[in-house]
Amino acid sequence: MMNQLHWNKKKHSYTKKLTSLLFVLIFAFGVIFTNVPVKAASTTTDAEASNTASFSTDVIYQIVTDRFFDGDRSNNPSGEIFDQSNMQKYHGGDWAGITQKLNEGYFTGLGVSALWISSPVENITTIDPSNNCASYHGYWAKDFFRTNPYFGSLNDFQTMIQTAHSLGIKIVIDFAPNHTSTAEYGNMTFPEDGALYRDGSYLGGFTNDPQGLFNHESWTDFSTYEDGIYHSMYGLADLNHQNATVDDYMKDAIQMWLDLGIDGIRVDAVKHMSFGWQKNWLSSVYSHKPVFVFGEWFVGGVSADSDMNKFANDSGMSLLDFRFANAVRNALGEGTATMEDLYNVVVETGSDFEEVNDQVTFIDNHDMSRFMTLASNNSRSLENAYVVLLTSRGVPTIYYGSEQYATGTTDPYNRGDMPSFNTNSTAYKVISYLSPLRKTNPALAYGTTQERWMNDDILIYERQFGNNVVVTAVNRNQSRSTSISGLNTNLPQGTYNDVLNGTLGGGSITVSRTGAVNTFTLGAGQSAVWQYTATSSSPLIGNVDPMMGIAGDTITITGRGFGSSAGSVKFGTNAATVLSWTDSLIKVAVPSIAAGKYPIKVTSAAGTSSNTYGGFEVLSGTQISARLKVNNASTDWGSSVYVVGNVYELGNWDPANAIGPMFNSTSTIGMYPTWFYDVNLPAGQTIQYKFIKKDANGNVIWESGSNHTITTPSSGTASATTDWQN
Ligand code: NOJ
Ligand code: NOJ
Ligand code: CA
């Protein structure tokens, strides 16, 4: 409260000054502010819209396939795993149902342009005896090369993809390579033993594992990063990705789905798999087909997590932005934080994530309570949260059914059947007004974020890219209206109508030549969005995707003003071969240059240079995953062991870029004073390396003696164990 008063005082004195200044101006020059019509700039972005590597202009709609729509009763399971009145059993939803809703226009009406569906792979067909639950959610895989027959056949899958694509809608699959199904709970026996099959052939099970397909540690207590990686999550048979069969399996499996036409991948539980294995797997994905990949790194609050930041910035994939979700839920759902707190999280994540616009945002999902329930069934809170979600940085995701005011607490109650397909509800309309803006106004897709006016209840922020501007105002207080004075914007002079057409009570604003907005009232619980689009005549990079690759991979550069004829693109000082060129999207091949991070710059045919877009990571070549281990490396309290070597992936001998801290607390792999780490390395090379000890201040102790060497295979995995050399 104190804070808010302080704020308002400041605003008032500022406004007074500004108002008198305007008077002087008007008086002196006799300027009369007339309404300047908003210029309708051409923002045709077909090239961007069909770009699978970037989702900057998309709104994602997340579907729990089993709970969406039953389009084909003939594929429903029989027996105890099917019961539409039991939230833990299959309900019959399938790809035919999604196809039907695509054809009926439910998604195009909503304006979403990507569907994230449940993992499509074959799951166990029995009840998990430890929790009496069926695999309706798709997270209990048994064969990643076959479809879940209860969702449909390969034909049904392809029909869904083709139907979606014909409507300009992308398909993202959930993919869970961390584990198969539950196989561990006290002395219980599990009918399917967590077994893994490859297109019908049995490869092994959890208790029958001569090949070492699985890690055999107890349940994780989630206490450390290491513990979460090598221990099972709730008894889910934890796959050993260092096993060459498993590594090869996951690379081939995802290629099969890529070849079936998917446009993106949501990777389950990325916090629970090694960084090195995932980077090696992801590099294989990008070389096969550049698609947008985002991982689930679950966090329960709004605080930073250094392992998560590192993953978001260096793994090569985006993350689901739980911090943003929790911040919106706190401020607009439960009311446990202010709008200022929400904006603080936007600022903090804006510096923690190198590419904040590429993280995937949401307000609820299948692992947390529905927003309506969180907001005590207050529908305006939900509608306002959608306004924030759809105009903020990041790729927004709508969780199926929440736009129909579905309620539900925790899993499985937050995964109910789609309550209705009403296209006239307020929430449906809010989403349908705002979703298309991500395509027509690049300020949403690529822009920066700036706070323009705020107090505990109100947040007004501006997104901007070039001269494109979107201003969003949200008043979460449903019993108090506020007069907004002293608001400034980069919107050019003119009058702007609410993009929501007053659906949430907003009206128009008038902006002066200096960017001052006329004083207006933001009513109780109201939201409004105002926008301006401009044509760019000089090149401006908005995004580069993917942000890592090997020589020859295709990379997309999106933005505005590249021009219609091809200019040039440079990675640092190195020219890249241009594969295609439009005003908003350029495709280039990663040049054959030394591995490292490079800034990207576009120069138009007319010779104008763009901004530099930082940090594209060129890898040394095709990647493999290797487990490096060192025995007898005793350390002083506070020091850890790292590995460093003569390739970029091992830091090019620079201790500051060494890989680690390594792990030392997994009984089946290595316990202190043994240290180990799974790293991604270039394939088919003899690599030199050493272990170092580093303390918290960065002081380094090198191993003595000659370098260790490892010769990596051209495919598969590698491992090497040595003793610390004193
Ligand atoms: C996170 C998923 O979102 C959750 O629903 C699932 O149960 C676990 N990962 C395990 O796959
Ligand atoms: C320092 C290490 O001590 C040595 O073993 C290694 O060969 C060099 N760095 C490489 O420059
Ligand atoms: Ca069905």
Side-chain angles (χ1 to χ4, degrees):
M1 230 13 200
M2 277 304 288
N3 221 350
Q4 189 189 337
L5 285 174
H6 180 68
W7 247 104
N8 286 348
K9 257 190 223 151
K10 262 206 272 179
K11 295 270 179 204
H12 282 146
S13 61
Y14 185 49
T15 314
K16 264 188 210 144
K17 269 190 220 143
L18 210 92
T19 321
S20 37
L21 182 76
L22 284 181
F23 260 108
V24 171
L25 277 176
I26 294 172
F27 194 73
F29 303 104
V31 174
I32 292 167
F33 290 104
T34 50
N35 294 354
V36 180
V38 178
K39 191 171 144 204
S42 140
T43 50
T44 314
T45 55
D46 290 350
E48 281 169 295
S50 58
N51 178 17
T52 58
S54 171
F55 274 38
S56 293
T57 64
D58 290 309
V59 173
I60 302 173
Y61 186 88
Q62 181 196 350
I63 293 175
V64 174
T65 304
D66 179 61
R67 302 293 160 88
F68 190 65
F69 191 69
D70 188 355
D72 178 2
R73 286 179 191 209
S74 74
N75 60 20
N76 293 354
S78 54
E80 60 166 353
I81 62 170
F82 184 76
D83 181 351
Q84 290 175 327
S85 63
N86 183 333
M87 290 295 283
Q88 303 209 100
K89 306 286 175 76
Y90 275 92
H91 287 192
D94 48 30
W95 300 324
I98 295 172
T99 302
Q100 184 178 328
K101 292 298 164 188
L102 279 162
N103 284 324
E104 287 171 11
Y106 185 78
F107 305 111
T108 37
L110 194 57
V112 299
S113 52
L115 307 182
W116 150 19
I117 60 169
S118 302
S119 170
V121 311
E122 188 181 14
N123 270 232
I124 57 169
T125 55
T126 52
I127 291 287
D128 176 338
S130 71
N131 51 32
N132 243 338
C133 185
S135 62
Y136 73 91
H137 44 65
Y139 292 116
W140 295 343
K142 95 190 227 189
D143 195 333
F144 290 74
F145 290 84
R146 293 201 164 170
T147 66
N148 183 327
Y150 312 132
F151 297 162
S153 63
L154 263 186
N155 254 339
D156 297 327
F157 187 80
Q158 281 176 301
T159 303
M160 174 185 65
I161 294 235
Q162 280 153 15
T163 309
H165 287 177
S166 72
L167 297 167
I169 291 177
K170 299 170 178 174
I171 298 286
V172 177
I173 62 166
D174 210 318
F175 199 71
N178 174 67
H179 55 262
T180 54
S181 55
T182 322
E184 239 191 325
Y185 187 85
N187 295 323
M188 214 167 245
T189 47
F190 290 82
E192 311 214 18
D193 193 30
L196 182 68
Y197 294 78
R198 183 165 176 144
D199 199 11
S201 331
Y202 177 81
L203 296 181
F206 185 73
T207 61
N208 173 29
D209 187 19
Q211 284 198 70
L213 303 176
F214 298 95
N215 291 317
H216 294 276
E217 295 282 344
S218 53
W219 288 29
T220 181
D221 59 9
F222 300 96
S223 60
T224 64
Y225 185 30
E226 173 182 3
D227 197 86
I229 294 173
Y230 300 102
H231 290 244
S232 82
M233 225 196 312
Y234 313 114
L236 291 163
D238 200 54
L239 285 161
N240 170 16
H241 301 105
Q242 286 310 118
N243 180 298
T245 303
V246 174
D247 171 71
D248 183 58
Y249 181 102
M250 288 304 169
K251 287 174 178 166
D252 288 353
I254 199 62
Q255 287 192 9
M256 183 193 97
W257 294 99
L258 289 166
D259 292 344
L260 286 166
I262 62 165
D263 307 288
I265 308 165
R266 179 270 191 186
V267 186
D268 189 58
V270 296
K271 197 204 263 188
H272 300 278
M273 295 177 278
S274 79
F275 185 97
W277 179 77
Q278 290 185 84
K279 192 152 177 165
N280 128 89
W281 175 80
L282 188 57
S283 176
S284 82
V285 168
Y286 290 155
S287 292
H288 192 73
K289 179 182 174 184
V291 295
F292 184 63
V293 182
F294 57 101
E296 177 223 16
W297 187 294
F298 186 91
V299 291
V302 298
S303 329
D305 171 327
S306 58
D307 291 324
M308 175 175 74
N309 290 346
K310 187 178 167 208
F311 195 92
N313 296 333
D314 294 333
S315 70
M317 74 171 87
S318 296
L319 287 182
L320 281 155
D321 192 349
F322 279 84
R323 290 174 70 189
F324 177 84
N326 292 327
V328 176
R329 290 166 66 85
N330 294 345
L332 284 145
E334 280 183 300
T336 50
T338 64
M339 295 300 269
E340 286 137 341
D341 295 329
L342 164 60
Y343 185 67
N344 271 342
V345 173
V346 171
V347 171
E348 283 168 16
T349 49
S351 66
D352 286 343
F353 296 132
E354 282 171 17
E355 291 191 284
V356 74
N357 280 336
D358 257 349
Q359 311 308 314
V360 177
T361 53
F362 54 99
I363 58 171
D364 54 7
N365 72 19
H366 60 307
D367 294 324
M368 51 176 73
S369 61
R370 294 256 188 197
F371 196 93
M372 264 306 264
T373 296
L374 186 79
S376 311
N377 293 311
N378 185 309
S379 51
R380 181 53 67 92
S381 298
L382 173 76
E383 291 145 10
N384 283 339
Y386 278 135
V387 173
V388 172
L389 173 70
L390 289 161
T391 56
S392 291
R393 87 293 180 288
V395 181
T397 304
I398 310 287
Y399 182 48
Y400 86 99
S402 285
E403 82 283 16
Q404 299 294 352
Y405 305 96
T407 56
T409 52
T410 48
D411 161 11
Y413 306 104
N414 52 6
R415 306 165 177 190
D417 298 320
M418 186 71 177
S420 77
F421 290 91
N422 179 3
T423 55
N424 287 311
S425 76
T426 303
Y428 188 95
K429 280 188 197 150
V430 165
I431 297 167
S432 67
Y433 284 131
L434 294 179
S435 293
L437 255 196
R438 301 203 70 97
K439 291 206 171 7
T440 56
N441 192 321
L444 290 190
Y446 309 121
T448 52
T449 307
Q450 187 186 358
E451 174 264 318
R452 286 300 197 170
W453 204 105
M454 89 181 153
N455 63 24
D456 286 359
D457 288 331
I458 295 175
L459 177 58
I460 303 181
Y461 56 94
E462 182 167 276
R463 308 284 315 282
Q464 184 166 8
F465 183 71
N467 293 325
N468 302 281
V469 179
V470 174
V471 176
T472 300
V474 178
N475 180 5
R476 72 164 183 179
N477 189 318
Q478 295 181 26
S479 52
R480 187 167 64 209
S481 68
T482 298
S483 170
I484 308 292
S485 59
L487 175 66
N488 283 291
T489 173
N490 285 338
L491 287 166
Q493 184 181 24
T495 293
Y496 296 88
N497 293 325
D498 176 18
V499 175
L500 295 164
N501 286 315
T503 307
L504 300 181
S508 62
I509 53 169
T510 299
V511 178
S512 80
R513 214 173 44 170
T514 62
V517 178
N518 65 311
T519 297
F520 65 98
T521 298
L522 193 60
Q526 291 186 350
S527 283
V529 177
W530 305 284
Q531 67 102 22
Y532 175 82
T533 52
T535 27
S536 316
S537 50
S538 56
L540 193 54
I541 300 178
N543 209 347
V544 173
D545 300 277
M547 269 296 267
M548 99 181 175
I550 64 175
D553 282 1
T554 299
I555 301 303
T556 66
I557 302 167
T558 42
R560 286 292 182 278
F562 301 144
S564 51
S565 45
S568 61
V569 172
K570 280 190 170 165
F571 286 52
T573 55
N574 312 281
T577 304
V578 172
L579 306 172
S580 68
W581 189 290
T582 71
D583 190 60
S584 61
L585 183 143
I586 301 166
K587 287 189 182 176
V588 295
V590 175
S592 195
I593 50 180
K597 285 199 172 178
Y598 292 87
I600 292 187
K601 188 179 254 188
V602 168
T603 302
S604 68
T608 316
S609 287
S610 71
N611 54 323
T612 51
Y613 194 93
F616 182 89
E617 186 175 40
V618 178
L619 298 169
S620 303
T622 303
Q623 302 284 299
I624 60 109
S625 185
R627 176 164 296 165
L628 302 180
K629 206 191 278 195
V630 56
N631 292 323
N632 298 319
S634 301
T635 47
D636 292 335
W637 183 250
S639 287
S640 296
V641 174
Y642 292 71
V643 59
V644 62
N646 71 346
V647 288
Y648 167 75
E649 285 78 355
L650 291 182
N652 279 328
W653 289 123
D654 178 358
N657 294 324
I659 308 305
M662 295 173 69
F663 297 141
N664 60 15
S665 309
T666 303
S667 61
T668 54
I669 305 176
M671 297 291 283
Y672 181 86
T674 292
W675 299 70
F676 71 93
Y677 214 69
D678 297 335
V679 298
N680 54 295
L681 291 178
Q685 281 193 32
T686 297
I687 295 162
Q688 311 215 355
Y689 66 99
K690 272 190 167 177
F691 297 97
I692 58 173
K693 294 173 185 172
K694 260 209 279 192
D695 69 16
N697 300 319
N699 297 313
V700 172
I701 298 172
W702 284 85
E703 264 189 291
S704 60
S706 49
N707 299 333
H708 306 296
T709 61
I710 181 170
T711 299
T712 57
S714 58
S715 66
T717 59
S719 66
T721 304
T722 54
D723 286 330
W724 174 270
Q725 302 172 149
N726 273 310

